[in-house]
Amino acid sequence: MGISYKEIGLVNTRDLFAKAMKGGYAVPAFNFNNLEQLQSIIQACSEVASPVILQVSKGARQYANATLLKHLAQGAVAFSKELTKGKGIPIALHLDHGDCLDLVKDCIAFGFSSVMIDGSHLPYEENVKTTKAVVDYAHQFDVTVEGELGVLAGVEDEVSAEHHTYTRPEEVVDFTKRTTVDSLAISIGTSHGAYKFKPGQKAEIRLDILHEIEKRIPGYPIVLHGASSVPQDLVVKMRQYGGKMDDAIGIGEDQVREAARSAVCKVNIDSDGRLAMTAAIREVFAKKPEEFDPRKYLGPAREALKELYKRKCTEVLGSAGHAWD
Ligand code: G3H
Ligand code: 13P
Ligand code: ZN
């Protein structure tokens, strides 16, 4: 039952990743949970002609409502066509950090075209089994699946880890073969949230591990989570307008750019968007305390988000101009 993502006009990630691999860029996966975020993602990606993955976590789905999300995704497809003389950029709707098959089933019934099953916290054999069960289910509907090997430090929904467990290159061949997942998220030193490195720590990710993985599974789409760069001008703006944000350090955009040129076909960015949005809202509140029309502060926030996403597509991920490859 339910609705197929194809009826909504969405695409799965198979073709997106094949083109990204060939073109040496990564498709942006921007998290969203409300209308303004969605508007800015679609506007930004349509303006720079980038394919896009609309990414929704379990918590975001609960926040936004599953039924509304389905209609929002359908609206996003129509909106993008309106902005691009009827062409429409390719749009995937993806479940971020799915934690069980039941959630995956529900998302697929509500129009998702791609899902992640995050078994990274499980023992290896259990991760294989859980991921395979999701793939077997999802592939019946031509929905693509992302699995994960290795654990990122930081917080994601209810799960948190203090330290990274880097992906073990020696496991990737077995894992991808046995699970038949369509893409693999790896842990190479990125992490979720705005505090990725401690002051004094070398802010570098392990591109050497990425390259070792690439060698073992050539041409296989790799996913980078926790890839926000935490732009320091946004941190300054947050503080300037009353926010508290000490020692927030992200991943250098040059490193993400290098990863995007290689087998990394999908890059997840959430925290940078949260920062851009909140800093813009704070600025309005500080400068115009008399303002109480939500459009007057969400409007500038939407504009700031759009500029951030456009810059990510053009300068960091290299996806701009590749919507209709
Ligand atoms: O990886 C986590 C994403 O940033 C989503 O975060 O679970 O708070 O919506 P969330
Ligand atoms: P950031 O917290 O670095 O934006 O990562 C987001 C993410 O990986 C979502 O899955
Ligand atoms: Zn993530």
Side-chain angles (χ1 to χ4, degrees), residues 101-125:
L101 182 57
D102 280 346
L103 175 61
V104 164
K105 286 182 177 173
D106 203 51
C107 285
I108 292 174
F110 276 82
F112 279 60
S113 62
S114 171
V115 293
M116 174 187 193
I117 177 72
D118 184 354
S120 62
H121 301 273
L122 302 171
Y124 181 78
E125 284 301 325

PDB file of all heavy atoms in Angstrom, residues 101-125:
ATOM      1  N   LEU A 101      13.787  -1.836  10.517  1.00  0.00           N
ATOM      2  CA  LEU A 101      13.044  -2.154   9.297  1.00  0.00           C
ATOM      3  C   LEU A 101      11.632  -1.561   9.314  1.00  0.00           C
ATOM      4  O   LEU A 101      11.133  -1.113   8.283  1.00  0.00           O
ATOM      5  CB  LEU A 101      12.999  -3.685   9.105  1.00  0.00           C
ATOM      6  CG  LEU A 101      12.307  -4.196   7.842  1.00  0.00           C
ATOM      7  CD1 LEU A 101      12.917  -3.630   6.573  1.00  0.00           C
ATOM      8  CD2 LEU A 101      12.340  -5.729   7.796  1.00  0.00           C
ATOM      9  N   ASP A 102      11.000  -1.519  10.490  1.00  0.00           N
ATOM     10  CA  ASP A 102       9.638  -0.970  10.549  1.00  0.00           C
ATOM     11  C   ASP A 102       9.605   0.492  10.108  1.00  0.00           C
ATOM     12  O   ASP A 102       8.712   0.911   9.378  1.00  0.00           O
ATOM     13  CB  ASP A 102       9.074  -1.092  11.978  1.00  0.00           C
ATOM     14  CG  ASP A 102       8.577  -2.503  12.244  1.00  0.00           C
ATOM     15  OD1 ASP A 102       8.421  -3.269  11.264  1.00  0.00           O
ATOM     16  OD2 ASP A 102       8.357  -2.836  13.424  1.00  0.00           O
ATOM     17  N   LEU A 103      10.594   1.255  10.551  1.00  0.00           N
ATOM     18  CA  LEU A 103      10.661   2.671  10.158  1.00  0.00           C
ATOM     19  C   LEU A 103      10.897   2.789   8.652  1.00  0.00           C
ATOM     20  O   LEU A 103      10.269   3.609   7.969  1.00  0.00           O
ATOM     21  CB  LEU A 103      11.794   3.377  10.938  1.00  0.00           C
ATOM     22  CG  LEU A 103      12.075   4.837  10.554  1.00  0.00           C
ATOM     23  CD1 LEU A 103      10.851   5.724  10.801  1.00  0.00           C
ATOM     24  CD2 LEU A 103      13.274   5.384  11.343  1.00  0.00           C
ATOM     25  N   VAL A 104      11.770   1.933   8.137  1.00  0.00           N
ATOM     26  CA  VAL A 104      12.052   1.922   6.697  1.00  0.00           C
ATOM     27  C   VAL A 104      10.776   1.628   5.904  1.00  0.00           C
ATOM     28  O   VAL A 104      10.455   2.312   4.926  1.00  0.00           O
ATOM     29  CB  VAL A 104      13.149   0.874   6.389  1.00  0.00           C
ATOM     30  CG1 VAL A 104      13.194   0.534   4.903  1.00  0.00           C
ATOM     31  CG2 VAL A 104      14.506   1.375   6.876  1.00  0.00           C
ATOM     32  N   LYS A 105      10.029   0.623   6.356  1.00  0.00           N
ATOM     33  CA  LYS A 105       8.779   0.248   5.661  1.00  0.00           C
ATOM     34  C   LYS A 105       7.816   1.428   5.623  1.00  0.00           C
ATOM     35  O   LYS A 105       7.193   1.715   4.609  1.00  0.00           O
ATOM     36  CB  LYS A 105       8.115  -0.940   6.373  1.00  0.00           C
ATOM     37  CG  LYS A 105       8.822  -2.255   6.137  1.00  0.00           C
ATOM     38  CD  LYS A 105       8.065  -3.379   6.835  1.00  0.00           C
ATOM     39  CE  LYS A 105       8.722  -4.724   6.563  1.00  0.00           C
ATOM     40  NZ  LYS A 105       8.126  -5.815   7.336  1.00  0.00           N
ATOM     41  N   ASP A 106       7.703   2.100   6.759  1.00  0.00           N
ATOM     42  CA  ASP A 106       6.785   3.227   6.856  1.00  0.00           C
ATOM     43  C   ASP A 106       7.222   4.369   5.932  1.00  0.00           C
ATOM     44  O   ASP A 106       6.397   4.974   5.242  1.00  0.00           O
ATOM     45  CB  ASP A 106       6.754   3.706   8.315  1.00  0.00           C
ATOM     46  CG  ASP A 106       5.478   4.460   8.605  1.00  0.00           C
ATOM     47  OD1 ASP A 106       4.399   3.924   8.293  1.00  0.00           O
ATOM     48  OD2 ASP A 106       5.560   5.605   9.100  1.00  0.00           O
ATOM     49  N   CYS A 107       8.522   4.649   5.912  1.00  0.00           N
ATOM     50  CA  CYS A 107       9.025   5.728   5.045  1.00  0.00           C
ATOM     51  C   CYS A 107       8.761   5.408   3.578  1.00  0.00           C
ATOM     52  O   CYS A 107       8.345   6.277   2.807  1.00  0.00           O
ATOM     53  CB  CYS A 107      10.525   5.942   5.275  1.00  0.00           C
ATOM     54  SG  CYS A 107      10.873   6.790   6.818  1.00  0.00           S
ATOM     55  N   ILE A 108       8.999   4.163   3.201  1.00  0.00           N
ATOM     56  CA  ILE A 108       8.787   3.767   1.797  1.00  0.00           C
ATOM     57  C   ILE A 108       7.303   3.924   1.431  1.00  0.00           C
ATOM     58  O   ILE A 108       6.966   4.418   0.357  1.00  0.00           O
ATOM     59  CB  ILE A 108       9.311   2.336   1.546  1.00  0.00           C
ATOM     60  CG1 ILE A 108      10.847   2.333   1.650  1.00  0.00           C
ATOM     61  CG2 ILE A 108       8.854   1.803   0.182  1.00  0.00           C
ATOM     62  CD1 ILE A 108      11.506   0.974   1.564  1.00  0.00           C
ATOM     63  N   ALA A 109       6.421   3.554   2.360  1.00  0.00           N
ATOM     64  CA  ALA A 109       4.983   3.695   2.106  1.00  0.00           C
ATOM     65  C   ALA A 109       4.575   5.161   1.983  1.00  0.00           C
ATOM     66  O   ALA A 109       3.567   5.493   1.375  1.00  0.00           O
ATOM     67  CB  ALA A 109       4.193   3.025   3.222  1.00  0.00           C
ATOM     68  N   PHE A 110       5.386   6.035   2.576  1.00  0.00           N
ATOM     69  CA  PHE A 110       5.084   7.474   2.527  1.00  0.00           C
ATOM     70  C   PHE A 110       5.935   8.204   1.491  1.00  0.00           C
ATOM     71  O   PHE A 110       6.157   9.406   1.592  1.00  0.00           O
ATOM     72  CB  PHE A 110       5.266   8.099   3.912  1.00  0.00           C
ATOM     73  CG  PHE A 110       4.055   7.951   4.794  1.00  0.00           C
ATOM     74  CD1 PHE A 110       3.835   6.775   5.493  1.00  0.00           C
ATOM     75  CD2 PHE A 110       3.138   8.985   4.915  1.00  0.00           C
ATOM     76  CE1 PHE A 110       2.712   6.632   6.312  1.00  0.00           C
ATOM     77  CE2 PHE A 110       2.016   8.848   5.732  1.00  0.00           C
ATOM     78  CZ  PHE A 110       1.805   7.673   6.423  1.00  0.00           C
ATOM     79  N   GLY A 111       6.463   7.477   0.506  1.00  0.00           N
ATOM     80  CA  GLY A 111       7.085   8.144  -0.633  1.00  0.00           C
ATOM     81  C   GLY A 111       8.579   8.374  -0.590  1.00  0.00           C
ATOM     82  O   GLY A 111       9.114   9.094  -1.433  1.00  0.00           O
ATOM     83  N   PHE A 112       9.288   7.780   0.374  1.00  0.00           N
ATOM     84  CA  PHE A 112      10.749   7.948   0.372  1.00  0.00           C
ATOM     85  C   PHE A 112      11.358   7.132  -0.781  1.00  0.00           C
ATOM     86  O   PHE A 112      10.919   6.021  -1.069  1.00  0.00           O
ATOM     87  CB  PHE A 112      11.357   7.492   1.705  1.00  0.00           C
ATOM     88  CG  PHE A 112      11.247   8.527   2.803  1.00  0.00           C
ATOM     89  CD1 PHE A 112      10.003   8.984   3.226  1.00  0.00           C
ATOM     90  CD2 PHE A 112      12.380   9.047   3.411  1.00  0.00           C
ATOM     91  CE1 PHE A 112       9.892   9.942   4.228  1.00  0.00           C
ATOM     92  CE2 PHE A 112      12.286  10.007   4.411  1.00  0.00           C
ATOM     93  CZ  PHE A 112      11.040  10.457   4.823  1.00  0.00           C
ATOM     94  N   SER A 113      12.392   7.700  -1.395  1.00  0.00           N
ATOM     95  CA  SER A 113      13.019   7.010  -2.533  1.00  0.00           C
ATOM     96  C   SER A 113      14.343   6.359  -2.143  1.00  0.00           C
ATOM     97  O   SER A 113      14.952   5.629  -2.929  1.00  0.00           O
ATOM     98  CB  SER A 113      13.258   7.996  -3.674  1.00  0.00           C
ATOM     99  OG  SER A 113      14.144   9.017  -3.283  1.00  0.00           O
ATOM    100  N   SER A 114      14.785   6.648  -0.942  1.00  0.00           N
ATOM    101  CA  SER A 114      16.091   6.162  -0.481  1.00  0.00           C
ATOM    102  C   SER A 114      16.074   6.112   1.045  1.00  0.00           C
ATOM    103  O   SER A 114      15.438   6.956   1.681  1.00  0.00           O
ATOM    104  CB  SER A 114      17.159   7.149  -0.984  1.00  0.00           C
ATOM    105  OG  SER A 114      18.404   6.861  -0.422  1.00  0.00           O
ATOM    106  N   VAL A 115      16.735   5.098   1.598  1.00  0.00           N
ATOM    107  CA  VAL A 115      16.760   4.999   3.067  1.00  0.00           C
ATOM    108  C   VAL A 115      18.153   4.638   3.544  1.00  0.00           C
ATOM    109  O   VAL A 115      18.905   3.962   2.849  1.00  0.00           O
ATOM    110  CB  VAL A 115      15.779   3.915   3.595  1.00  0.00           C
ATOM    111  CG1 VAL A 115      14.334   4.307   3.338  1.00  0.00           C
ATOM    112  CG2 VAL A 115      16.081   2.549   2.999  1.00  0.00           C
ATOM    113  N   MET A 116      18.460   5.093   4.757  1.00  0.00           N
ATOM    114  CA  MET A 116      19.689   4.630   5.386  1.00  0.00           C
ATOM    115  C   MET A 116      19.296   3.681   6.516  1.00  0.00           C
ATOM    116  O   MET A 116      18.359   3.968   7.267  1.00  0.00           O
ATOM    117  CB  MET A 116      20.466   5.800   5.994  1.00  0.00           C
ATOM    118  CG  MET A 116      21.674   5.340   6.793  1.00  0.00           C
ATOM    119  SD  MET A 116      22.463   6.679   7.679  1.00  0.00           S
ATOM    120  CE  MET A 116      23.997   5.853   8.140  1.00  0.00           C
ATOM    121  N   ILE A 117      19.989   2.548   6.588  1.00  0.00           N
ATOM    122  CA  ILE A 117      19.848   1.717   7.785  1.00  0.00           C
ATOM    123  C   ILE A 117      21.194   1.812   8.498  1.00  0.00           C
ATOM    124  O   ILE A 117      22.222   1.431   7.937  1.00  0.00           O
ATOM    125  CB  ILE A 117      19.415   0.255   7.483  1.00  0.00           C
ATOM    126  CG1 ILE A 117      19.360  -0.559   8.782  1.00  0.00           C
ATOM    127  CG2 ILE A 117      20.260  -0.429   6.441  1.00  0.00           C
ATOM    128  CD1 ILE A 117      18.209  -0.208   9.704  1.00  0.00           C
ATOM    129  N   ASP A 118      21.151   2.393   9.667  1.00  0.00           N
ATOM    130  CA  ASP A 118      22.389   2.642  10.401  1.00  0.00           C
ATOM    131  C   ASP A 118      22.611   1.537  11.431  1.00  0.00           C
ATOM    132  O   ASP A 118      22.135   1.610  12.555  1.00  0.00           O
ATOM    133  CB  ASP A 118      22.323   4.013  11.068  1.00  0.00           C
ATOM    134  CG  ASP A 118      23.620   4.370  11.764  1.00  0.00           C
ATOM    135  OD1 ASP A 118      24.529   3.510  11.820  1.00  0.00           O
ATOM    136  OD2 ASP A 118      23.738   5.499  12.257  1.00  0.00           O
ATOM    137  N   GLY A 119      23.348   0.525  10.998  1.00  0.00           N
ATOM    138  CA  GLY A 119      23.670  -0.572  11.902  1.00  0.00           C
ATOM    139  C   GLY A 119      25.083  -0.433  12.441  1.00  0.00           C
ATOM    140  O   GLY A 119      25.678  -1.403  12.931  1.00  0.00           O
ATOM    141  N   SER A 120      25.620   0.770  12.352  1.00  0.00           N
ATOM    142  CA  SER A 120      27.032   0.970  12.692  1.00  0.00           C
ATOM    143  C   SER A 120      27.349   0.709  14.159  1.00  0.00           C
ATOM    144  O   SER A 120      28.489   0.430  14.510  1.00  0.00           O
ATOM    145  CB  SER A 120      27.476   2.385  12.289  1.00  0.00           C
ATOM    146  OG  SER A 120      26.744   3.343  13.010  1.00  0.00           O
ATOM    147  N   HIS A 121      26.337   0.822  14.998  1.00  0.00           N
ATOM    148  CA  HIS A 121      26.589   0.590  16.428  1.00  0.00           C
ATOM    149  C   HIS A 121      26.465  -0.898  16.793  1.00  0.00           C
ATOM    150  O   HIS A 121      26.747  -1.290  17.919  1.00  0.00           O
ATOM    151  CB  HIS A 121      25.598   1.397  17.283  1.00  0.00           C
ATOM    152  CG  HIS A 121      25.691   2.869  17.030  1.00  0.00           C
ATOM    153  ND1 HIS A 121      26.573   3.679  17.707  1.00  0.00           N
ATOM    154  CD2 HIS A 121      25.046   3.657  16.154  1.00  0.00           C
ATOM    155  CE1 HIS A 121      26.460   4.922  17.256  1.00  0.00           C
ATOM    156  NE2 HIS A 121      25.535   4.936  16.312  1.00  0.00           N
ATOM    157  N   LEU A 122      26.029  -1.695  15.847  1.00  0.00           N
ATOM    158  CA  LEU A 122      25.831  -3.128  16.122  1.00  0.00           C
ATOM    159  C   LEU A 122      27.125  -3.906  15.895  1.00  0.00           C
ATOM    160  O   LEU A 122      27.992  -3.468  15.136  1.00  0.00           O
ATOM    161  CB  LEU A 122      24.763  -3.692  15.168  1.00  0.00           C
ATOM    162  CG  LEU A 122      23.381  -3.048  15.198  1.00  0.00           C
ATOM    163  CD1 LEU A 122      22.524  -3.586  14.050  1.00  0.00           C
ATOM    164  CD2 LEU A 122      22.703  -3.318  16.537  1.00  0.00           C
ATOM    165  N   PRO A 123      27.236  -5.095  16.505  1.00  0.00           N
ATOM    166  CA  PRO A 123      28.347  -5.969  16.152  1.00  0.00           C
ATOM    167  C   PRO A 123      28.289  -6.274  14.653  1.00  0.00           C
ATOM    168  O   PRO A 123      27.191  -6.290  14.068  1.00  0.00           O
ATOM    169  CB  PRO A 123      28.084  -7.233  16.974  1.00  0.00           C
ATOM    170  CG  PRO A 123      27.151  -6.820  18.050  1.00  0.00           C
ATOM    171  CD  PRO A 123      26.362  -5.656  17.525  1.00  0.00           C
ATOM    172  N   TYR A 124      29.441  -6.506  14.029  1.00  0.00           N
ATOM    173  CA  TYR A 124      29.538  -6.627  12.569  1.00  0.00           C
ATOM    174  C   TYR A 124      28.484  -7.558  11.957  1.00  0.00           C
ATOM    175  O   TYR A 124      27.762  -7.184  11.031  1.00  0.00           O
ATOM    176  CB  TYR A 124      30.949  -7.093  12.184  1.00  0.00           C
ATOM    177  CG  TYR A 124      31.132  -7.205  10.693  1.00  0.00           C
ATOM    178  CD1 TYR A 124      31.347  -6.078   9.913  1.00  0.00           C
ATOM    179  CD2 TYR A 124      31.060  -8.450  10.065  1.00  0.00           C
ATOM    180  CE1 TYR A 124      31.493  -6.175   8.535  1.00  0.00           C
ATOM    181  CE2 TYR A 124      31.208  -8.562   8.683  1.00  0.00           C
ATOM    182  CZ  TYR A 124      31.419  -7.418   7.932  1.00  0.00           C
ATOM    183  OH  TYR A 124      31.554  -7.520   6.568  1.00  0.00           O
ATOM    184  N   GLU A 125      28.388  -8.779  12.472  1.00  0.00           N
ATOM    185  CA  GLU A 125      27.458  -9.757  11.867  1.00  0.00           C
ATOM    186  C   GLU A 125      26.010  -9.292  11.953  1.00  0.00           C
ATOM    187  O   GLU A 125      25.212  -9.521  11.047  1.00  0.00           O
ATOM    188  CB  GLU A 125      27.612 -11.138  12.514  1.00  0.00           C
ATOM    189  CG  GLU A 125      28.855 -11.905  12.055  1.00  0.00           C
ATOM    190  CD  GLU A 125      28.918 -12.151  10.530  1.00  0.00           C
ATOM    191  OE1 GLU A 125      27.863 -12.362   9.899  1.00  0.00           O
ATOM    192  OE2 GLU A 125      30.038 -12.121   9.972  1.00  0.00           O
TER     193      GLU A 125
END
